[in-house]
Amino acid sequence: MVSLKDLPEEELFLAGSTACQGCPSSLALRIAFKALGKNTVLVVVASCTSVLQGSYPLSAIDLPLMNVAFATGGASASGVVAGLRALHKRGDLDEEPTVLVWAGDGGTYDIGIQSLSGAAERETNFIYVCYNNEMYSNTGTQRSGATPLGAWTTTTPGGKAQQRKDIAQIMIAHRIPYVATASLAYPLDFYQKMEKAKAMEGTKYIELMAPCPPGWKFPSSQTIEVSRLAVQSGMWLLYEHENGETRFTAATKRIIEGKVKKKPVKDYLEMQGRFKQVLSSPEGQAAEDALEQEVTESIRRLHGWVPEYI
Amino acid sequence: MKVLESGNHMVALAANAAAVEVVPAYPITPQTQIIEKVADLIADGEMDAEYIPVESEHSACAALVSASLTGIRAFSATSAHGLAYMHEMLHYAAGIRVPVVMANVNRALGPGWNIWCDHQDSISQRDTGWLQVYVASHQEAVDTVIQAFRITEDHSVLLPLMLNLDAFVLSHTYMDADIPAREEVAGFLPRYRPLWKLDPRKPVTHGSVVYPVDFSETRESMAIGQENAREVIRRAVSEFEEVFGRNHGDLIETYRLDGAKVVVVAMGSMAAESRVAVDALRDRGEDVGLLRVRFFRPFPTGELRELLAGRDRIVVLDRDFSYGNEGALYTEVKSALYRYADVPANNIILGIGGRDVTHTGIEELVLHSADGGLPEVTWGDSRISDGHLVTRDLLREFDELMDE
Amino acid sequence: MEEKEEVGYMTSVSRPVKGCAGDTGEWRVFKPVKDDEKCNKCLLCWVYCPEATISKDELQIDYQYCKGCGICAVECPTGAIVMVKEDKQ
């Protein structure tokens, strides 16, 4: 059982970056780097992370890093993995580094889905982390395929009319060895999932919910609290899938087992300015109900059935 | 090793001789046999490279570039729509300065769907920063693949190179050529020594955000790389000749230019065909010569100025067209001569969409241009006829739908 | 083959360094102030700081880079960290 004491002290994310106050991506990078260590090659897909790392000639990330085009997360990783393998074969590289792709939901759900899917189908040996802030954050908070129903974005000013996709489920259907979801409110759960992924061969997909203070409209001090409510309300389910089995983890596990009561989705929605408009509109109740239904449907798909106390 | 093979297969064999280490692969007619041959060579244990069967050309270029950035030699191949699909990534490859080599089998872009030869695909990419060479024979294709890495990996260049060969005319026809052995090539082409790469022992960030205050310098630096390439190309070609005894020209190749009053300027297999036309015209007492442009980027401005000044006429053959203006090679030739030499010139658009270009056809057009009988820019072999004009009938039919 | 000294001006390669965006402590409006008496060394503030400004051993905040997001104050279970309006000249 790992505890915070066991997390390495070394920081590969260097303080003084261009990230916003309270940015979930910079925090997630910090924790991910502690799990993976220095023998890592990072591929950053066009996203906020391309920008929060600073600009030429300085960088906030103390790892070999390649900033790649928006659609190319999986493809760029494939090239890096092949190149490193070629170097290892000819004796120029002792231990093949871990290859980590860091992409947002835009570069994963939408424009990047092709290259992620291809890389997964080829059983490419890399870890793909999608940090999901449920919109195109870097270009100024437009909707993405991950934006939930009812959420305000600049391109859904009346609130999004459609439900979001579930890419983690799509990745399970790719039959890759490891699919997991994570939350910053459960940092040890995230850390352990990264460690687990590092030790495996094949494509490992981890999706982290990343509440964005300016995009979701909440104070920068609430990033962890919003992450927590997402899990406690079921809007973000924590699980891992390997060997054909799905296993809930952390607070989601406690909710499914009936040890802790699931909080209403409303509690989570009310923390964020992006839902204010839909909640106060005539469609508010319908949207809330639809989101609760999305939660139970996700649980049914993952668990097989929905416990009556949820 | 002497082989009788198709142009496509020869390119694959040459890439193997050049000891490429990673090949991202995506099929598209008429390039497919290049990547199929690579797969065969690897499966047979004759080639030691990582093969990435990607899911699109955009991904092929992405993987090509990222593989190269780890510090290894990478190669791929594409054509037409595949090349167009990876357009964004072509800019990316040049901007991140990786010395990758990609074969492009020149094919028309549709619609209408056309798998046959013209140069529209590569011409459309001329501003991306890639070096571009156009080969005119199987042996030249082999030798240029090997020279290509010598050129791109030079530390004063470090730009990607597109090696163009004509669809079907070169890609699918069988000729004999010599494929040098790996050991022979290794002497001429040493291992790639990257200036920058992805390595945990020396962590740096590649492809950062660059503000206006610094960006222009990255681009001027690319321009300098292209200029440096001129001398690097000449050196590579002459050293290749010393080792292997073959020379297909450097930035250009000339044929019977001595005393030529009329010079045909062309690229690719049309230029090879033009040699035959030149011989026939010379036999008829016409003083015609050929200037074959091999490298379109960097453009051989100096060579054209030196060799075309003082001629009576230039006839530029284009297997492409820049809609709204004229053939691209023509524009570039005129631009090279602007204010330097005032030579009358004609632009003949030929062979679009794989229409067969024959030496007799070229002969007639050259003679026709000489007697002043051609407009400055002319579609040499295209004849729009009433049979092509369906518009009015169709309009009537669709109008009738509206009335119903 | 003789190698030239100059290899072209530059490409977009950057070096990792602390403070790549300058002294980001200047972004702050509120400053986290820690009461060491109340601190139980749970390490939550250390793990939750998005900017890596809190040291693991002493749990000291690096004010040169701390952006004042307030997460450490909200997450501290003993209330040892309080956000105080900063008096800037």
Side-chain angles (χ1 to χ4, degrees):
Chain A
M1 212 26 227
V2 77
S3 74
L4 290 176
K5 282 198 316 298
D6 304 316
L7 267 54
E9 186 171 356
E10 186 178 21
E11 300 292 347
L12 297 175
F13 184 88
L14 305 175
S17 74
T18 37
C20 296
Q21 291 128 320
C23 174
S25 182
S26 56
L27 177 54
L29 286 164
R30 255 193 85 210
I31 298 172
F33 295 162
K34 287 178 191 299
L36 300 182
K38 287 188 87 82
N39 198 26
T40 302
V41 173
L42 182 60
V43 173
V44 173
V45 173
S47 63
C48 275
T49 304
S50 324
V51 175
L52 64 84
Q53 64 182 254
S55 59
Y56 175 85
L58 305 173
S59 171
I61 295 176
D62 197 8
L63 285 172
L65 190 165
M66 182 179 183
N67 284 296
V68 301
F70 202 11
T72 69
S76 297
S78 299
V80 172
V81 168
L84 293 173
R85 188 171 305 132
L87 286 166
H88 180 68
K89 257 187 339 202
R90 57 148 129 130
D92 283 351
L93 202 61
D94 286 331
E95 201 196 310
E96 275 178 66
T98 305
V99 176
L100 171 67
V101 171
W102 199 263
D105 49 294
T108 303
Y109 278 59
D110 302 333
I111 200 172
I113 194 172
Q114 180 201 70
S115 70
L116 166 59
S117 176
E121 182 269 326
R122 290 189 298 274
E123 300 178 3
T124 312
N125 186 24
F126 75 120
I127 303 174
Y128 188 107
V129 170
C130 168
Y131 74 96
N132 182 357
N133 55 26
E134 301 185 344
M135 59 186 183
Y136 298 160
S137 219
N138 194 29
T139 41
T141 71
Q142 296 82 31
R143 59 103 88 204
S144 81
T147 306
L149 181 86
W152 171 95
T153 67
T154 58
T155 45
T156 57
K160 187 166 177 245
Q162 302 86 12
Q163 294 275 25
R164 56 190 166 169
K165 287 192 254 191
D166 190 342
I167 292 283
Q169 290 295 299
I170 292 173
M171 295 320 294
I172 290 174
H174 279 68
R175 295 188 255 264
I176 57 176
Y178 191 65
V179 175
T181 56
S183 162
L184 289 168
Y186 305 90
L188 289 173
D189 178 69
F190 176 44
Y191 179 85
Q192 282 172 100
K193 284 166 174 167
M194 291 296 303
E195 272 198 322
K196 204 167 180 178
K198 182 185 176 189
M200 284 185 192
E201 288 283 312
T203 302
K204 288 84 57 175
Y205 178 82
I206 297 177
E207 191 168 337
L208 173 101
M209 172 185 264
C212 167
W216 296 17
K217 302 181 197 260
F218 61 82
S220 65
S221 58
Q222 300 292 304
T223 305
I224 305 299
E225 187 59 14
V226 173
S227 298
R228 193 173 286 124
L229 251 307
V231 176
Q232 289 172 337
S233 66
M235 281 290 285
W236 193 252
L237 299 169
L238 293 178
Y239 61 89
E240 53 186 0
H241 180 98
E242 56 181 322
N243 302 318
E245 248 185 53
T246 301
R247 213 174 20 247
F248 293 109
T249 65
T252 304
K253 182 168 191 279
R254 296 189 279 277
I255 291 169
I256 302 291
E257 288 174 351
K259 294 188 177 142
V260 159
K261 182 139 177 60
K262 177 184 112 53
K263 291 197 175 158
V265 161
K266 191 178 191 142
D267 289 2
Y268 166 70
L269 301 178
E270 281 175 344
M271 290 191 75
Q272 306 158 61
R274 65 176 175 152
F275 289 109
K276 187 167 166 190
Q277 192 185 2
V278 73
L279 286 176
S280 58
S281 77
E283 289 83 45
Q285 191 57 56
E288 204 188 298
D289 292 342
L291 288 169
E292 285 283 9
Q293 214 178 337
E294 190 207 72
V295 170
T296 44
E297 189 212 293
S298 294
I299 292 172
R300 183 174 296 115
R301 202 183 314 115
L302 288 164
H303 189 57
W305 53 281
V306 184
E308 78 277 3
Y309 41 76
I310 290 191
Chain B
M1 181 182 63
K2 225 117 182 151
V3 299
L4 175 72
E5 271 291 7
S6 68
N8 275 345
H9 286 174
M10 294 234 180
V11 168
L13 291 166
N16 188 18
V20 304
E21 299 173 87
V22 174
V23 180
Y26 196 77
I28 181 168
T29 307
Q31 156 279 116
T32 305
Q33 294 76 25
I34 297 178
I35 55 114
E36 283 177 336
K37 185 66 171 170
V38 170
D40 272 341
L41 290 170
I42 294 172
D44 291 341
E46 287 172 50
M47 184 167 180
D48 186 17
E50 299 292 316
Y51 195 77
I52 316 176
V54 287
E55 71 298 331
S56 84
E57 285 94 344
H58 188 276
S59 292
C61 195
L64 182 68
V65 172
S66 64
S68 178
L69 205 62
T70 64
I72 53 84
R73 185 170 288 153
F75 171 82
S76 191
T78 191
S79 187
H81 284 265
L83 187 67
Y85 188 16
M86 59 166 84
H87 176 73
E88 169 200 29
M89 296 311 297
L90 296 178
H91 282 276
Y92 183 98
I96 207 151
R97 306 297 293 269
V98 284
V100 296
V101 171
M102 188 161 64
N104 177 59
V105 179
N106 285 114
R107 165 193 150 174
L109 283 151
W113 291 132
N114 179 302
I115 58 168
W116 299 276
C117 175
D118 71 37
H119 293 168
Q120 196 74 9
D121 56 0
S122 51
I123 288 293
S124 299
Q125 308 302 338
R126 61 189 147 151
D127 300 331
T128 54
W130 283 57
L131 275 63
Q132 278 200 20
V133 65
Y134 290 75
V135 301
S137 76
H138 292 53
Q139 186 68 72
E140 188 182 356
V142 171
D143 295 346
T144 309
V145 168
I146 295 166
Q147 291 167 16
F149 289 104
R150 247 294 273 276
I151 297 162
T152 60
E153 291 170 9
D154 189 290
H155 287 167
S156 70
V157 178
L158 283 176
L159 286 168
L161 186 150
M162 191 184 299
L163 193 153
N164 295 290
L165 62 153
D166 286 338
F168 294 100
V169 181
L170 289 178
S171 65
H172 281 64
T173 54
Y174 278 68
M175 290 282 278
D176 61 316
D178 179 65
I179 313 282
R182 264 195 177 213
E183 305 75 55
E184 281 183 272
V185 175
F188 168 80
L189 180 63
R191 174 170 283 180
Y192 169 42
R193 272 181 62 217
L195 272 188
W196 38 66
K197 57 176 177 165
L198 292 164
D199 193 328
R201 293 167 297 193
K202 184 133 216 78
V204 289
T205 292
H206 302 259
S208 298
V209 169
V210 179
Y211 281 97
V213 69
D214 286 312
F215 187 80
S216 194
E217 283 73 11
T218 68
R219 289 317 182 253
E220 190 183 1
S221 167
M222 279 163 59
I224 293 169
Q226 284 263 0
E227 291 312 305
N228 291 341
R230 296 175 192 280
E231 195 45 49
V232 175
I233 291 164
R234 287 183 203 111
R235 223 175 332 152
V237 162
S238 79
E239 282 176 32
F240 188 91
E241 185 174 18
E242 276 171 37
V243 178
F244 298 99
R246 291 188 294 268
N247 187 323
H248 310 278
D250 44 42
L251 281 90
I252 59 161
E253 191 188 36
T254 63
Y255 185 69
R256 301 185 79 168
L257 272 192
D258 283 346
K261 296 206 179 88
V262 179
V263 181
V264 175
V265 181
M267 301 198 296
S269 60
M270 274 201 319
E273 193 71 13
S274 297
R275 282 191 209 119
V276 184
V278 163
D279 283 342
L281 287 163
R282 284 274 186 177
D283 286 346
R284 292 165 66 162
E286 301 288 336
D287 295 325
V288 185
L290 168 73
L291 193 153
R292 180 168 75 92
V293 171
R294 294 187 72 239
F295 275 84
F296 186 74
R297 283 292 183 269
F299 194 72
T301 302
E303 288 85 341
L304 261 60
R305 285 179 174 175
E306 190 196 319
L307 295 167
L308 295 178
R311 311 284 176 182
D312 286 357
R313 175 168 293 279
I314 305 165
V315 179
V316 181
L317 307 181
D318 261 293
R319 203 160 198 165
D320 61 271
F321 196 74
S322 186
Y323 297 94
N325 199 14
E326 60 200 3
L329 181 59
Y330 185 58
T331 301
E332 307 249 347
V333 169
K334 281 194 301 181
S335 161
L337 298 177
Y338 177 63
R339 295 178 67 185
Y340 186 84
D342 191 11
V343 183
N346 276 99
N347 185 205
I348 306 181
I349 313 303
L350 273 184
I352 299 295
R355 185 159 295 180
D356 198 22
V357 178
T358 62
H359 59 88
T360 42
I362 296 171
E363 273 172 63
E364 276 168 38
L365 285 161
V366 170
L367 287 172
H368 210 21
S369 77
D371 66 29
L374 280 184
E376 189 197 341
V377 179
T378 188
W379 286 70
D381 57 4
S382 187
R383 303 271 175 276
I384 293 183
S385 68
D386 280 348
H388 292 109
L389 296 175
V390 295
T391 322
R392 260 179 257 115
D393 285 338
L394 259 185
L395 181 61
R396 229 173 281 126
E397 287 171 41
F398 279 101
D399 269 349
E400 282 160 21
L401 278 180
M402 297 288 281
D403 296 334
E404 280 162 26
Chain C
M1 182 175 55
E2 204 193 280
E3 258 190 36
K4 290 190 185 162
E5 262 307 306
E6 254 176 50
V7 291
Y9 181 64
M10 58 95 117
T11 183
S12 47
V13 169
S14 301
R15 302 206 183 257
V17 72
K18 225 171 170 185
C20 72
D23 289 344
T24 51
E26 285 167 18
W27 298 14
R28 280 196 308 268
V29 177
F30 288 87
K31 174 183 181 171
V33 177
K34 187 161 145 279
D35 184 347
D36 287 327
E37 306 276 298
K38 290 188 180 165
C39 172
N40 68 355
K41 307 230 185 296
C42 70
L43 294 178
L44 280 173
C45 60
W46 170 71
V47 80
Y48 280 139
C49 176
E51 206 60 36
T53 63
I54 303 182
S55 62
K56 188 182 183 189
D57 47 4
E58 298 294 313
L59 297 174
Q60 298 285 24
I61 298 167
D62 185 347
Y63 290 109
Q64 190 179 2
Y65 300 118
C66 164
K67 292 170 177 169
C69 71
I71 287 175
C72 54
V74 164
E75 296 301 318
C76 174
T78 65
I81 302 180
V82 171
M83 298 305 287
V84 170
K85 188 105 193 279
E86 210 162 9
D87 197 14
K88 284 193 173 147
Q89 254 66 47

